[in-house]
Structure formats: structure tokens, C-alpha cells
Amino acid sequence: MTKKKETIINVSLIVALLVVLYVMEKTLPSTAMIFTVLKKGAIYALVAVSMNLLNGFTGLFSLGQAGFMLLGAYTYGILTIPVEQRVNVYQYFDGGIVQFTVPVAVALVAAGVVAAIFAYLIGLPVLRLKSDYLAIATLGFAEIIRAVFQWDKLGPLTNGSNLLRSYPTFKSVLFPFIVSGICIAIIVMLINSTYGRAFKAIRDDEIAAEAMGINLAHHKKMAFVISSFFAGISGALLAMYQTTIQASMFKSAMTYEILLIVVIGGIGSVTGSCISSFLFIILSEWLLRFLDSEMYIGDFKVPLLRAGFRKVVFSIIIMVIVLFFRKGIMGTKEFSVRGIYDYFKNRSGRKAAKGGNSND
């Protein structure tokens, strides 16, 4: 398959997906659970891929994604709340100190930039650490930033422990898919560039990478900043999805969920992170919800079904996936049109060869 033909097929599949989503929006009720899954799945796919860029492709074990998502969410909310609504939102802080509004697209980019700036500043001392120490330091940053944003002294900017609301949200499922798709495409292009190859070299062997002339500190900082930039954008998208922002939402449990998605999909696989994101949301938000409610078949009460049982079953499913897929669903492989084409081509070739041998 030629590169041109592969590109045409990929573009056609993307357009077909967007058309299907558009038709679904026009035919299904807006309250359908499938839209919740699609919107949240697209957002989590972006943040999982951004985390995989750092943990999977560069070999840096960071647990600060929730903190960078918080920065992105607050930046978006602060910049897009209409001026006339600020008196109501910042009712305890005299309308706040920001008295202007920017377009949604500008606010999304600003969300990523603010997260990237904080990542650069945090990375100066933190990236000197390795392995578990780096994870603890970045996790500590996420917890500190969550506490600081609830501080009343910052209330005129962050609204303290109160909610940010009344900012623009997305009504269409196409919006998070398009934004996440563009961001993931940029990450993929980065991974396939010379910088991406340098990241992988650092992951495989830092000493060998440095001997080849790769500046370890520069490339680690670059990966950290870029990962945080896209985490900030995903935080802004999550704010749009949830319609309100409060720092208490961005707990360490959110980072653990994202890490779980990356591990299940495959550390070092972009498509694995995307697939596992939707799988995670489908199981946790949709298919297993009936397990939290009591059920009767006639007069017989189905045992075990009660509040919280969904989490038990979900944990068992995760354990099974980890046991049978030690490196995740995709491992380090990528799902691609070329891979499918080569698979069926090789399979048909083997069948033809076997048929020719039998005739002989």
C-alpha cells in the first residue's frame, strides 16, 4: 500500500466517523448515555496520550496530570466567563479581577500554555529526579496546586473554594472529538519526528542516548512541557463537559485513572491509550451501572447487587485484562490501516502458497 493511498483511507475513515457522530446527534435524544461516553472518552483519550508521551515514550514516571488539567480548566473558565456574569460567579469577591472575555479557541490554547509554563518552572528542579522520586514530586505538585487554588486569598482570580460556572460549554459531541483528534495527531507527528526518536532513545538507555549526542535535560524538559500543554487543553475540555469547575474535582484519583488507562492500553501505544480510554468510560460509566441497583426476578432477589458492587466487578475486569495482556491491549504496537492491510495480504499469501503446494 502506497503512502498516498494510506493517507486517503485514513482521511476517509475520519470523515466517516464525523458523519456517523453527526447523524447520531440528529437522530438520538441528547440525553442518551452514548453521548456521555463519547464526550468523556474523547477527553480522556487526549490526556491519556499526553501522559503516554511522557511515561511511555520518554520513560519519565510523572503523576502530575491532574494538576495540569486543573490549571487548564481554571484558565479556560476564568478567561471565558461573560463579563456580565462575573458579578454572580464571583459574588464573594466583588466580581473578580479579570474583567474581559476571550474566544473559546484562544482560551483553549491559553489553557495549554499556562499548564506548559508551570511545567517548565516545576521541571527545572523536578526533572533532576528519577523513577519513583519524580512520581512523588509531581504528585505533590498536583496536590499543592489543588490546595492553593482553593485559598481564599486567590479568590478574586480563582473564586476560592466556590464553583466557576456560566462559561461556554460544548453541546455537540463533534467538538471534543475534533479538538482531541487534532491534538493527538500533533502528538503522533512529534513521536514520529527526530524529537520522538530522541525521546525513545532516552527511554531505552539514557547513557547510550547521551553518548549519541542527545541533550538529556533539554529533551526531558521538552517532553514534560509538551505533555503538560496537552493535559491543560484536556482539562479545559473536561471543564466544558462538566459545566462547572472546582479544584476539589482534580484529586490524585484522577491521575491514577489516567495512569490505569495508559497501562491497560499499552505503555508506548497511542492507539492503545485511545482504545482503553473509551473502554474505561464504557465500563465505569455505562455498562456496569446496573450492578449498583438491587434486582428482582419474580420474588427472587439477585444476590450481591448493591451500591458499590460495580466497582468490585470493574476491578476484576481490570485484573483479568492485566493478566492476559501483560503489556496492555496494544503493547507497543499501533492500530493502523497499513497494519491491517499487511496482515490480510500476508495471510492471503500464505493461503495461496499452501494451495499451490497441495496441488503439487
Side-chain angles (χ1 to χ4, degrees), residues 310-349:
R310 167 174 58 98
K311 294 183 179 179
V312 176
V313 176
F314 183 61
S315 300
I316 294 172
I317 293 173
I318 291 172
M319 290 173 62
V320 171
I321 292 175
V322 171
L323 286 173
F324 285 93
F325 299 93
R326 297 292 178 88
K327 294 184 179 180
I329 296 173
M330 295 296 293
T332 57
K333 299 178 181 178
E334 300 290 355
F335 183 86
S336 64
V337 173
R338 180 181 291 274
I340 297 173
Y341 175 81
D342 290 342
Y343 172 79
F344 283 105
K345 183 179 180 180
N346 293 335
R347 189 173 180 180
S348 60

Side-chain angles (χ1 to χ4, degrees), residues 60 127 130 202 206 216-224:
L60 299 176
L127 291 178
K130 293 184 179 181
I202 293 172
E206 288 192 8
L216 298 184
H218 174 72
H219 283 83
K220 285 182 178 180
K221 193 182 301 178
M222 181 187 296
F224 192 60

Side-chain angles (χ1 to χ4, degrees), residues 3-4 26 57 91 111 156 162 192 247 291 321 343:
K3 192 71 175 178
K4 183 178 179 180
K26 295 300 181 182
F57 290 96
Q91 55 183 327
N162 305 298
N192 293 329
L291 298 174
I321 292 175
Y343 172 79

Side-chain angles (χ1 to χ4, degrees), residues 23-232:
V23 172
M24 288 174 61
E25 278 194 321
K26 295 300 181 182
T27 55
L28 297 176
S30 59
T31 55
M33 193 63 189
I34 184 66
F35 293 126
T36 299
V37 171
L38 291 172
K39 291 174 184 177
K40 198 169 182 179
I43 296 167
Y44 269 58
L46 174 56
V47 68
V49 171
S50 73
M51 190 177 199
N52 211 347
L53 172 66
L54 196 62
N55 292 26
F57 290 96
T58 315
L60 299 176
F61 188 28
S62 171
L63 292 176
Q65 297 304 100
F68 297 118
M69 290 178 72
L70 181 151
L71 289 167
Y74 267 86
T75 301
Y76 174 81
I78 291 168
L79 292 178
T80 56
I81 296 173
V83 175
E84 62 273 13
Q85 293 290 335
R86 290 183 182 270
V87 175
N88 297 325
V89 176
Y90 289 88
Q91 55 183 327
Y92 302 109
F93 302 100
D94 299 323
I97 60 174
V98 177
Q99 293 298 322
F100 62 88
T101 304
V102 302
V104 170
V106 175
L108 283 173
V109 175
V113 170
V114 169
I117 291 172
F118 272 82
Y120 179 82
L121 297 175
I122 295 296
L124 291 175
V126 164
L127 291 178
R128 298 177 184 273
L129 304 172
K130 293 184 179 181
S131 188
D132 299 342
Y133 299 103
L134 175 61
I136 293 170
T138 50
L139 180 61
F141 155 74
E143 291 298 305
I144 290 170
I145 203 73
R146 181 167 61 88
V148 168
F149 268 61
Q150 296 179 87
W151 187 29
D152 284 343
K153 295 294 184 181
L154 286 178
L157 180 64
T158 65
N159 209 21
S161 59
N162 305 298
L163 292 171
L164 285 181
R165 62 185 189 278
S166 300
Y167 50 79
T169 60
F170 52 75
K171 304 299 181 183
S172 172
V173 71
L174 293 175
F175 186 85
F177 263 84
I178 292 173
V179 174
S180 295
I182 292 173
C183 292
I184 291 173
I186 294 172
I187 294 174
V188 170
M189 287 190 290
L190 175 67
I191 291 171
N192 293 329
S193 69
T194 54
Y195 291 106
R197 289 192 286 272
F199 295 158
K200 294 175 186 177
I202 293 172
R203 175 196 62 190
D204 295 336
D205 192 326
E206 288 192 8
I207 297 175
E210 190 171 24
M212 292 169 59
I214 296 173
N215 188 325
L216 298 184
H218 174 72
H219 283 83
K220 285 182 178 180
K221 193 182 301 178
M222 181 187 296
F224 192 60
V225 169
I226 293 173
S227 173
S228 303
F229 174 83
F230 290 110

